[in-house]
Amino acid sequence: MTVNASYRAAWVPDDDPNRPWDEASALAVEWIEAEARQRGQRVVLVTNTRDVYISGSPLSRYSWPNTHTSPRSGWSGSRGVPVLSYVPHEKELDFATDLAHGSALCIVETVNSPVGGWAASVGALNLISGVPSSLDPKLAEHLDTLAFYGNNGYPRGFDRDRAQNVLDDIQRDGHLDRGLIVSALAAHRISVNGRVNIGKMIDAMHGGRSRRR
């Protein structure tokens, strides 16, 4: 079961501390450039800031203003373009998915801000294994329910209480992985504030403060 994403998706997981960043970037560049050629479009690189160092790396081909952007610098060009998102955090992930709407998105992950849940939710192709990512079907059902209560960012009260119940169920099933759940909610278009709230709730549960029904 996957989220009906509006873009083709791939990713390079940060699952090997010995893998050079240039190697991960090269895999992402190869995939997103192939997508761009099929569409007759130009790739846009999204990084956390415009001053990230990319000189000499496979990403250096996107060093020009019309092919490199960040949420801080904004974007005045066309949307619906192939996007390569390099080690995004929460805001950058949302920015990249919005920019890629109707086209293609490739993400190079960092363990500091995991996107495995996003990848599994949208069925993103794992460029290391060559296999599309996927979720456990029961977890996918839980995430659908969790997302249902998240339209307002899980404020205190009914929505947060229901979300806590879902997280308790996920914990009982042995799937309470903070990074996976939070990034999966990004695929469900839950706001950054909502994902932060869910992250805090999971942190509390890992600290032994989970609330009983």
Side-chain angles (χ1 to χ4, degrees):
M1 184 184 302
T2 59
V3 173
N4 186 21
S6 63
Y7 45 80
R8 280 175 52 82
W11 71 309
V12 182
D14 189 7
D15 58 0
D16 181 354
N18 296 315
R19 181 182 300 121
W21 287 108
D22 280 359
E23 180 180 323
S25 298
L27 289 170
V29 167
E30 181 180 8
W31 187 87
I32 200 68
E33 287 287 350
E35 292 290 321
R37 285 194 296 272
Q38 290 181 7
R39 292 168 169 76
Q41 295 177 303
R42 178 180 293 179
V43 174
V44 173
L45 171 67
V46 172
T47 55
N48 298 334
T49 64
R50 277 291 311 280
D51 58 0
V52 66
Y53 184 76
I54 61 175
S55 179
S57 81
L59 303 178
S60 60
R61 68 181 66 195
Y62 310 121
S63 60
W64 306 104
N66 61 345
T67 54
H68 183 195
T69 189
S70 75
R72 293 184 183 182
S73 60
W75 180 249
S76 59
S78 300
R79 294 180 180 270
V81 295
V83 174
L84 197 168
S85 181
Y86 183 69
V87 297
H89 295 288
E90 297 292 347
K91 291 182 180 179
E92 291 77 29
L93 179 57
D94 285 359
F95 182 72
T97 55
D98 286 343
L99 199 57
H101 181 83
S103 188
L105 172 62
C106 187
I107 294 178
V108 177
E109 182 192 48
T110 170
V111 292
N112 294 324
S113 187
V115 297
W118 163 84
S121 296
V122 302
L125 179 66
N126 183 321
L127 296 180
I128 300 298
S129 68
V131 177
S133 300
S134 61
L135 284 172
D136 174 270
K138 187 64 176 293
L139 177 58
E141 290 181 12
H142 286 319
L143 289 169
D144 286 344
T145 305
L146 187 62
F148 177 80
Y149 295 114
N151 288 336
N152 295 317
Y154 306 101
R156 294 187 182 278
F158 179 83
D159 288 342
R160 187 170 298 194
D161 289 345
R162 299 289 77 75
Q164 183 64 63
N165 289 341
V166 177
L167 291 175
D168 288 341
D169 289 339
I170 294 173
Q171 185 178 50
R172 279 190 286 272
D173 288 343
H175 295 305
L176 196 66
D177 181 312
R178 185 189 196 280
L180 187 147
I181 292 169
V182 170
S183 67
L185 291 177
H188 283 269
R189 310 299 294 168
I190 299 302
S191 68
V192 171
N193 180 61
R195 278 135 56 194
V196 168
N197 284 334
I198 289 295
K200 289 179 179 177
M201 294 166 68
I202 294 172
D203 289 342
M205 294 171 72
H206 282 313
R209 298 187 294 276
S210 177
R211 181 179 61 78
R212 295 181 179 272
R213 289 177 189 259

